[in-house]
Amino acid sequence: GHDPADGPPRFPRRVIEPLPVEYTDDERQAHADLQTYAGLRKAGGGRSSGDFVYKLLKKRMFSSPRAFFETLKKHMDTVERGYSADEQRPSDRTVLRAIAAVDDEFGTEEEATEAEEHALQAAARTSEPLTAEQRAVLERLLNWADTAANRTDAKTDVLVDWLKSIVFTDGEWNSERVIIFTEYRDTQKYLIDQLTAAGLHDEDGHVRMMFGGQDGDEREAIKAAFQADPALDPIRIIIATDTASEGIDLQLRCHRLVHMEIPWNPNRLEQRNGRIDRHGQPNTTADVFHFVGAGFENSEPGSLEADLEFLH
Protein backbone atom coordinates (compact mmCIF):
# COMPACT_ATOMS: atom_id res chain seq x y z
CA GLY A 1 0.00 0.00 0.00
CA HIS A 2 0.93 3.66 -0.14
CA ASP A 3 2.60 5.21 2.90
CA PRO A 4 1.14 8.72 3.41
CA ALA A 5 4.56 9.83 4.70
CA ASP A 6 5.85 9.48 1.11
CA GLY A 7 3.70 12.44 0.02
CA PRO A 8 0.85 12.10 -2.50
CA PRO A 9 0.77 8.85 -4.54
CA ARG A 10 2.64 9.15 -7.83
CA PHE A 11 0.13 7.00 -9.66
CA PRO A 12 -3.62 6.87 -9.25
CA ARG A 13 -5.41 3.75 -8.02
CA ARG A 14 -7.33 2.07 -10.81
CA VAL A 15 -10.97 1.40 -10.00
CA ILE A 16 -12.90 -0.92 -12.31
CA GLU A 17 -16.65 -0.31 -12.32
CA PRO A 18 -19.23 -2.50 -14.09
CA LEU A 19 -22.24 -0.84 -15.74
CA PRO A 20 -25.09 -3.41 -15.62
CA VAL A 21 -27.28 -3.73 -18.72
CA GLU A 22 -30.73 -5.35 -18.94
CA TYR A 23 -30.72 -6.77 -22.47
CA THR A 24 -33.95 -6.77 -24.47
CA ASP A 25 -35.58 -9.96 -25.74
CA ASP A 26 -34.64 -8.93 -29.29
CA GLU A 27 -30.99 -8.57 -28.35
CA ARG A 28 -30.99 -11.96 -26.61
CA GLN A 29 -32.62 -13.54 -29.63
CA ALA A 30 -29.96 -12.06 -31.93
CA HIS A 31 -27.20 -13.42 -29.69
CA ALA A 32 -28.88 -16.86 -29.72
CA ASP A 33 -29.31 -16.71 -33.52
CA LEU A 34 -25.62 -15.96 -33.97
CA GLN A 35 -24.75 -19.01 -31.84
CA THR A 36 -27.17 -21.14 -33.86
CA TYR A 37 -25.57 -19.96 -37.09
CA ALA A 38 -22.09 -20.74 -35.78
CA GLY A 39 -23.24 -24.25 -34.84
CA LEU A 40 -24.75 -24.84 -38.29
CA ARG A 41 -21.59 -23.63 -40.05
CA LYS A 42 -19.35 -25.76 -37.86
CA ALA A 43 -21.34 -28.81 -38.84
CA GLY A 44 -20.57 -27.87 -42.45
CA GLY A 45 -16.77 -28.01 -42.01
CA GLY A 46 -14.18 -25.27 -42.59
CA ARG A 47 -13.33 -25.09 -38.90
CA SER A 48 -10.74 -22.32 -38.55
CA SER A 49 -12.41 -19.97 -41.01
CA GLY A 50 -15.82 -20.67 -39.44
CA ASP A 51 -14.49 -19.86 -35.98
CA PHE A 52 -12.96 -16.67 -37.30
CA VAL A 53 -16.22 -15.46 -38.86
CA TYR A 54 -18.16 -16.26 -35.69
CA LYS A 55 -15.59 -14.51 -33.49
CA LEU A 56 -15.58 -11.44 -35.71
CA LEU A 57 -19.38 -11.21 -35.81
CA LYS A 58 -19.55 -11.75 -32.07
CA LYS A 59 -16.96 -9.07 -31.32
CA ARG A 60 -18.94 -6.67 -33.45
CA MET A 61 -22.24 -7.62 -31.85
CA PHE A 62 -20.70 -6.85 -28.45
CA SER A 63 -19.69 -3.43 -29.76
CA SER A 64 -22.85 -2.02 -31.36
CA PRO A 65 -25.71 -3.13 -33.61
CA ARG A 66 -24.32 -0.95 -36.42
CA ALA A 67 -20.85 -2.50 -36.26
CA PHE A 68 -22.53 -5.91 -36.36
CA PHE A 69 -24.80 -4.97 -39.27
CA GLU A 70 -21.93 -3.73 -41.46
CA THR A 71 -19.87 -6.91 -40.98
CA LEU A 72 -22.85 -9.25 -41.28
CA LYS A 73 -23.72 -7.68 -44.64
CA LYS A 74 -20.14 -8.24 -45.86
CA HIS A 75 -20.15 -11.80 -44.60
CA MET A 76 -23.44 -12.54 -46.39
CA ASP A 77 -22.14 -11.01 -49.62
CA THR A 78 -18.94 -13.03 -49.59
CA VAL A 79 -20.55 -16.28 -48.53
CA GLU A 80 -23.34 -15.98 -51.12
CA ARG A 81 -20.70 -15.56 -53.82
CA GLY A 82 -18.51 -18.23 -52.22
CA TYR A 83 -16.06 -19.73 -54.67
CA SER A 84 -16.89 -20.43 -58.28
CA ALA A 85 -15.71 -23.62 -59.96
CA ASP A 86 -13.14 -21.79 -62.11
CA GLU A 87 -11.55 -20.10 -59.11
CA GLN A 88 -8.86 -21.86 -57.21
CA ARG A 89 -9.77 -22.36 -53.59
CA PRO A 90 -7.20 -20.60 -51.42
CA SER A 91 -4.97 -22.90 -49.39
CA ASP A 92 -5.53 -23.19 -45.65
CA ARG A 93 -2.30 -21.32 -45.13
CA THR A 94 -3.48 -18.38 -47.21
CA VAL A 95 -6.72 -18.23 -45.26
CA LEU A 96 -4.96 -18.47 -41.89
CA ARG A 97 -2.56 -15.73 -42.93
CA ALA A 98 -5.46 -13.46 -43.94
CA ILE A 99 -7.17 -14.19 -40.61
CA ALA A 100 -4.01 -13.53 -38.58
CA ALA A 101 -3.54 -10.17 -40.33
CA VAL A 102 -6.81 -8.92 -38.82
CA ASP A 103 -5.12 -8.71 -35.39
CA ASP A 104 -2.28 -6.51 -36.62
CA GLU A 105 -1.97 -2.95 -35.37
CA PHE A 106 -3.25 -0.53 -38.01
CA GLY A 107 -2.78 3.20 -38.44
CA THR A 108 -6.35 3.77 -39.56
CA GLU A 109 -9.71 2.03 -39.22
CA GLU A 110 -9.93 1.86 -43.03
CA GLU A 111 -6.85 -0.41 -43.11
CA ALA A 112 -8.27 -2.56 -40.32
CA THR A 113 -11.58 -2.89 -42.19
CA GLU A 114 -9.79 -3.84 -45.41
CA ALA A 115 -7.91 -6.61 -43.59
CA GLU A 116 -11.22 -7.82 -42.17
CA GLU A 117 -12.88 -7.85 -45.59
CA HIS A 118 -9.94 -9.68 -47.09
CA ALA A 119 -10.17 -12.35 -44.37
CA LEU A 120 -13.95 -12.66 -44.78
CA GLN A 121 -13.49 -13.20 -48.51
CA ALA A 122 -10.77 -15.81 -48.00
CA ALA A 123 -12.90 -17.59 -45.40
CA ALA A 124 -15.94 -17.59 -47.67
CA ARG A 125 -13.98 -19.10 -50.55
CA THR A 126 -13.06 -22.14 -48.48
CA SER A 127 -16.44 -22.78 -46.92
CA GLU A 128 -19.45 -24.57 -48.33
CA PRO A 129 -22.31 -22.54 -49.83
CA LEU A 130 -25.11 -21.60 -47.42
CA THR A 131 -27.82 -24.13 -46.71
CA ALA A 132 -31.44 -22.93 -46.64
CA GLU A 133 -31.40 -23.24 -42.85
CA GLN A 134 -28.23 -21.15 -42.50
CA ARG A 135 -29.58 -18.51 -44.85
CA ALA A 136 -32.83 -18.26 -42.86
CA VAL A 137 -30.91 -17.60 -39.61
CA LEU A 138 -28.68 -15.01 -41.33
CA GLU A 139 -31.67 -13.21 -42.81
CA ARG A 140 -33.35 -13.05 -39.42
CA LEU A 141 -30.14 -11.56 -37.99
CA LEU A 142 -29.85 -9.09 -40.83
CA ASN A 143 -33.44 -7.90 -40.34
CA TRP A 144 -32.81 -7.35 -36.64
CA ALA A 145 -29.51 -5.55 -37.22
CA ASP A 146 -30.90 -3.38 -40.00
CA THR A 147 -33.43 -1.85 -37.61
CA ALA A 148 -31.20 -1.95 -34.52
CA ALA A 149 -28.35 -0.15 -36.31
CA ASN A 150 -30.22 3.14 -36.22
CA ARG A 151 -31.67 3.26 -32.74
CA THR A 152 -30.29 2.90 -29.22
CA ASP A 153 -29.73 -0.53 -27.80
CA ALA A 154 -29.90 -1.49 -24.11
CA LYS A 155 -26.20 -0.75 -23.64
CA THR A 156 -26.34 2.72 -25.20
CA ASP A 157 -29.39 3.58 -23.08
CA VAL A 158 -27.31 2.76 -19.99
CA LEU A 159 -24.41 4.80 -21.38
CA VAL A 160 -26.58 7.86 -22.07
CA ASP A 161 -28.12 7.79 -18.57
CA TRP A 162 -24.68 7.35 -17.02
CA LEU A 163 -23.15 10.19 -19.10
CA LYS A 164 -25.94 12.52 -18.04
CA SER A 165 -25.30 11.66 -14.39
CA ILE A 166 -21.61 12.51 -14.80
CA VAL A 167 -21.24 15.45 -17.20
CA PHE A 168 -24.78 16.82 -17.61
CA THR A 169 -26.18 17.05 -14.10
CA ASP A 170 -29.48 18.85 -13.49
CA GLY A 171 -29.81 19.39 -17.23
CA GLU A 172 -26.62 21.45 -17.45
CA TRP A 173 -23.06 20.73 -18.50
CA ASN A 174 -20.63 20.65 -15.58
CA SER A 175 -16.83 20.53 -15.75
CA GLU A 176 -16.39 16.71 -15.62
CA ARG A 177 -14.95 14.87 -18.61
CA VAL A 178 -15.20 11.32 -19.99
CA ILE A 179 -13.40 9.28 -22.66
CA ILE A 180 -15.31 6.52 -24.46
CA PHE A 181 -13.29 3.92 -26.34
CA THR A 182 -14.36 1.64 -29.16
CA GLU A 183 -12.55 -0.64 -31.56
CA TYR A 184 -14.75 0.30 -34.51
CA ARG A 185 -15.43 3.44 -36.50
CA ASP A 186 -18.96 2.07 -37.14
CA THR A 187 -19.62 2.09 -33.39
CA GLN A 188 -18.13 5.56 -33.07
CA LYS A 189 -20.53 6.91 -35.71
CA TYR A 190 -23.40 5.00 -34.11
CA LEU A 191 -22.63 6.62 -30.74
CA ILE A 192 -22.49 10.10 -32.27
CA ASP A 193 -25.97 9.51 -33.72
CA GLN A 194 -27.32 8.24 -30.40
CA LEU A 195 -25.76 11.05 -28.36
CA THR A 196 -27.20 13.55 -30.85
CA ALA A 197 -30.66 12.03 -30.40
CA ALA A 198 -30.19 12.20 -26.61
CA GLY A 199 -29.33 15.92 -26.82
CA LEU A 200 -25.72 15.49 -25.67
CA HIS A 201 -24.01 15.99 -29.02
CA ASP A 202 -24.65 19.50 -30.29
CA GLU A 203 -23.18 22.35 -32.34
CA ASP A 204 -21.12 23.57 -29.39
CA GLY A 205 -18.69 20.66 -29.49
CA HIS A 206 -19.37 19.06 -26.11
CA VAL A 207 -18.69 15.72 -27.82
CA ARG A 208 -15.75 15.18 -30.21
CA MET A 209 -14.34 12.19 -32.07
CA MET A 210 -10.75 10.98 -32.39
CA PHE A 211 -9.89 8.32 -34.95
CA GLY A 212 -6.98 7.00 -36.97
CA GLY A 213 -6.32 8.90 -40.18
CA GLN A 214 -7.86 12.05 -38.71
CA ASP A 215 -6.17 15.32 -39.67
CA GLY A 216 -3.19 15.70 -37.30
CA ASP A 217 -3.90 19.34 -36.46
CA GLU A 218 -7.51 18.57 -35.68
CA ARG A 219 -6.48 15.75 -33.38
CA GLU A 220 -3.94 17.95 -31.56
CA ALA A 221 -6.58 20.67 -31.12
CA ILE A 222 -9.03 18.20 -29.55
CA LYS A 223 -6.32 16.83 -27.27
CA ALA A 224 -5.26 20.33 -26.18
CA ALA A 225 -8.88 21.35 -25.52
CA PHE A 226 -9.48 18.19 -23.47
CA GLN A 227 -6.36 18.78 -21.37
CA ALA A 228 -7.18 22.46 -20.78
CA ASP A 229 -9.33 24.04 -18.10
CA PRO A 230 -13.00 23.08 -18.72
CA ALA A 231 -13.95 26.76 -18.50
CA LEU A 232 -11.97 27.40 -21.69
CA ASP A 233 -13.57 24.79 -23.96
CA PRO A 234 -16.98 23.06 -24.00
CA ILE A 235 -15.49 19.63 -24.79
CA ARG A 236 -16.70 17.10 -22.20
CA ILE A 237 -16.75 13.76 -24.02
CA ILE A 238 -14.23 12.23 -26.41
CA ILE A 239 -15.26 9.14 -28.38
CA ALA A 240 -12.00 7.58 -29.52
CA THR A 241 -11.03 4.52 -31.53
CA ASP A 242 -7.99 2.43 -30.65
CA THR A 243 -5.93 3.67 -33.59
CA ALA A 244 -6.35 7.27 -32.41
CA SER A 245 -5.15 6.69 -28.92
CA GLU A 246 -1.62 5.42 -29.04
CA GLY A 247 0.65 7.33 -26.74
CA ILE A 248 -1.60 10.32 -26.12
CA ASP A 249 -2.01 11.87 -22.66
CA LEU A 250 -5.55 12.76 -21.68
CA GLN A 251 -5.24 12.52 -17.90
CA LEU A 252 -5.01 16.13 -16.72
CA ARG A 253 -8.72 16.92 -16.57
CA CYS A 254 -10.25 13.47 -16.94
CA HIS A 255 -10.22 10.37 -14.76
CA ARG A 256 -13.11 8.39 -16.27
CA LEU A 257 -12.91 6.00 -19.21
CA VAL A 258 -15.63 3.79 -20.69
CA HIS A 259 -14.96 0.66 -22.78
CA MET A 260 -17.82 0.15 -25.27
CA GLU A 261 -16.47 -3.36 -25.75
CA ILE A 262 -13.57 -5.28 -24.25
CA PRO A 263 -10.81 -5.73 -26.84
CA TRP A 264 -9.67 -9.34 -27.17
CA ASN A 265 -6.10 -8.12 -27.15
CA PRO A 266 -5.05 -7.34 -23.54
CA ASN A 267 -2.31 -4.94 -24.72
CA ARG A 268 -4.95 -2.84 -26.39
CA LEU A 269 -6.96 -2.75 -23.19
CA GLU A 270 -3.93 -1.52 -21.27
CA GLN A 271 -3.17 1.03 -23.96
CA ARG A 272 -6.65 2.49 -23.54
CA ASN A 273 -6.48 2.52 -19.75
CA GLY A 274 -3.09 4.20 -19.97
CA ARG A 275 -4.66 7.35 -21.44
CA ILE A 276 -5.85 8.34 -17.97
CA ASP A 277 -4.13 5.85 -15.64
CA ARG A 278 -0.67 7.37 -15.76
CA HIS A 279 1.80 9.55 -13.95
CA GLY A 280 0.40 13.08 -13.65
CA GLN A 281 -3.22 12.01 -13.11
CA PRO A 282 -4.25 14.56 -10.46
CA ASN A 283 -7.23 12.49 -9.26
CA THR A 284 -6.48 9.79 -6.66
CA THR A 285 -8.27 7.19 -8.81
CA ALA A 286 -8.52 6.37 -12.51
CA ASP A 287 -12.06 5.05 -12.99
CA VAL A 288 -12.55 2.48 -15.74
CA PHE A 289 -16.10 1.45 -16.71
CA HIS A 290 -17.28 -1.52 -18.75
CA PHE A 291 -20.65 -3.13 -19.44
CA VAL A 292 -21.92 -6.37 -17.93
CA GLY A 293 -25.23 -8.17 -18.37
CA ALA A 294 -27.35 -7.54 -15.27
CA GLY A 295 -27.48 -10.75 -13.21
CA PHE A 296 -24.47 -12.31 -14.97
CA GLU A 297 -23.46 -14.03 -11.70
CA ASN A 298 -26.26 -16.59 -12.01
CA SER A 299 -26.66 -16.76 -15.77
CA GLU A 300 -26.75 -19.86 -17.95
CA PRO A 301 -23.53 -20.86 -19.77
CA GLY A 302 -23.77 -19.70 -23.39
CA SER A 303 -26.15 -16.86 -22.53
CA LEU A 304 -25.39 -13.26 -23.44
CA GLU A 305 -24.60 -12.47 -19.80
CA ALA A 306 -22.24 -15.43 -19.43
CA ASP A 307 -20.42 -14.46 -22.61
CA LEU A 308 -19.88 -10.96 -21.30
CA GLU A 309 -18.76 -12.37 -17.95
CA PHE A 310 -16.15 -14.40 -19.84
CA LEU A 311 -14.82 -11.18 -21.39
CA HIS A 312 -14.87 -9.48 -18.01
Side-chain angles (χ1 to χ4, degrees), residues 78 81-90 121 124-126:
T78 54
R81 281 202 307 274
Y83 57 90
S84 51
D86 56 340
E87 246 184 341
Q88 215 184 340
R89 285 177 74 148
Q121 264 159 354
R125 283 177 54 196
T126 58

Side-chain angles (χ1 to χ4, degrees), residues 26-312:
D26 280 1
E27 288 166 338
R28 284 172 201 287
Q29 185 57 52
H31 181 261
D33 281 344
L34 184 55
Q35 278 183 312
T36 302
Y37 176 66
L40 292 170
R41 287 301 272 178
K42 206 168 246 177
R47 179 78 210 268
S48 57
S49 60
D51 283 352
F52 159 74
V53 169
Y54 175 49
K55 188 173 114 173
L56 186 60
L57 287 170
K58 197 166 180 172
K59 275 171 72 170
R60 292 225 165 209
M61 186 179 264
F62 283 156
S63 184
S64 72
R66 187 171 307 166
F68 177 70
F69 177 62
E70 296 302 334
T71 300
L72 184 66
K73 261 194 323 202
K74 282 174 202 149
H75 170 58
M76 282 185 80
D77 278 356
T78 54
V79 94
E80 285 288 7
R81 281 202 307 274
Y83 57 90
S84 51
D86 56 340
E87 246 184 341
Q88 215 184 340
R89 285 177 74 148
S91 68
D92 287 351
R93 243 186 78 204
T94 308
V95 177
L96 291 174
R97 226 187 0 247
I99 288 172
V102 174
D103 292 326
D104 289 348
E105 295 291 328
F106 295 98
T108 69
E109 288 75 35
E110 281 74 15
E111 290 164 9
T113 305
E114 266 170 40
E116 240 170 53
E117 284 175 16
H118 182 62
L120 281 171
Q121 264 159 354
R125 283 177 54 196
T126 58
S127 59
E128 296 305 309
L130 288 176
T131 63
E133 195 182 1
Q134 289 167 353
R135 187 178 286 109
V137 179
L138 280 186
E139 278 171 359
R140 203 161 60 221
L141 274 169
L142 197 66
N143 286 337
W144 168 77
D146 194 9
T147 313
N150 295 307
R151 58 173 191 216
T152 60
D153 61 348
K155 190 168 74 169
T156 317
D157 286 338
V158 169
L159 176 71
V160 166
D161 287 346
W162 179 83
L163 283 172
K164 286 183 174 170
S165 76
I166 301 292
V167 297
F168 194 72
T169 40
D170 305 321
E172 289 197 22
W173 292 97
N174 57 33
S175 57
E176 296 298 315
R177 286 183 168 151
V178 173
I179 303 164
I180 302 170
F181 263 109
T182 176
E183 208 164 329
Y184 304 113
R185 191 93 164 89
D186 289 328
T187 298
Q188 190 181 42
K189 291 172 182 165
Y190 171 77
L191 285 176
I192 283 286
D193 288 350
Q194 305 318 323
L195 294 190
T196 304
L200 289 172
H201 179 47
D202 49 32
E203 303 288 291
D204 301 335
H206 287 104
V207 181
R208 315 258 179 95
M209 287 196 283
M210 291 178 100
F211 50 91
Q214 188 173 25
D215 175 76
D217 293 345
E218 187 185 346
R219 193 157 87 185
E220 283 307 310
I222 293 173
K223 190 177 111 176
F226 201 72
Q227 290 275 72
D229 183 330
L232 300 175
D233 195 285
I235 188 169
R236 294 296 178 265
I237 299 167
I238 285 180
I239 306 176
T241 59
D242 290 307
T243 49
S245 75
E246 241 166 293
I248 57 168
D249 298 4
L250 295 168
Q251 82 280 15
L252 282 182
R253 310 272 174 179
C254 176
H255 61 92
R256 292 187 188 88
L257 184 152
V258 182
H259 295 289
M260 279 317 284
E261 69 286 299
I262 301 294
W264 294 55
N265 176 342
N267 300 340
R268 199 167 284 175
L269 192 62
E270 271 316 293
Q271 216 174 44
R272 290 179 178 186
N273 293 337
R275 299 310 104 226
I276 60 164
D277 187 356
R278 62 195 304 138
H279 185 46
Q281 168 58 265
N283 204 57
T284 51
T285 58
D287 304 335
V288 176
F289 296 84
H290 66 108
F291 298 92
V292 295
F296 67 83
E297 305 86 351
N298 34 32
S299 53
E300 292 292 309
S303 69
L304 184 49
E305 285 77 12
D307 266 357
L308 290 170
E309 166 59 6
F310 154 74
L311 285 178
H312 168 52

